Amino acid sequence: GTAKLWNVALGTCVRTFEAHGLGVTSATLSPDGASVLTASLDSTAKLWHAKSGQCLRTLQGHGGAILFAAFSQDGEQVL
């Protein structure tokens, strides 16, 4: 599964985040805009570097699909 970051003004894809084994169910930017968090039907959440598109961390341990993931207000934790 993939998620895409779009430039709204131009309507162009800025970056593609691709590494999930199944479909991506949610994607959100960190409060500072430096990271992207994706959730997937493959039971993982992934933390990405927003500018490079590099996967920084794969969060595993859920028993099933993750339908939504979010950053805490300070960006230090994810739910």
Side-chain angles (χ1 to χ4, degrees):
T2 63
K4 293 182 179 283
L5 180 64
W6 295 87
N7 179 308
V8 176
L10 300 176
T12 56
C13 179
V14 175
R15 187 113 32 260
T16 300
F17 304 94
E18 185 172 13
H20 283 286
L22 294 172
V24 172
T25 55
S26 77
T28 187
L29 280 168
S30 62
D32 64 3
S35 301
V36 173
L37 176 65
T38 56
S40 173
L41 296 173
D42 68 5
S43 303
T44 67
K46 292 184 181 283
L47 184 66
W48 307 84
H49 188 268
K51 288 189 179 179
S52 72
Q54 178 183 2
C55 182
L56 302 173
R57 187 160 288 121
T58 299
L59 307 171
Q60 301 176 342
H62 291 84
I66 303 172
L67 301 180
F68 183 78
F71 284 97
S72 61
Q73 283 186 321
D74 63 6
E76 295 295 318
Q77 298 180 46
V78 297
L79 174 65

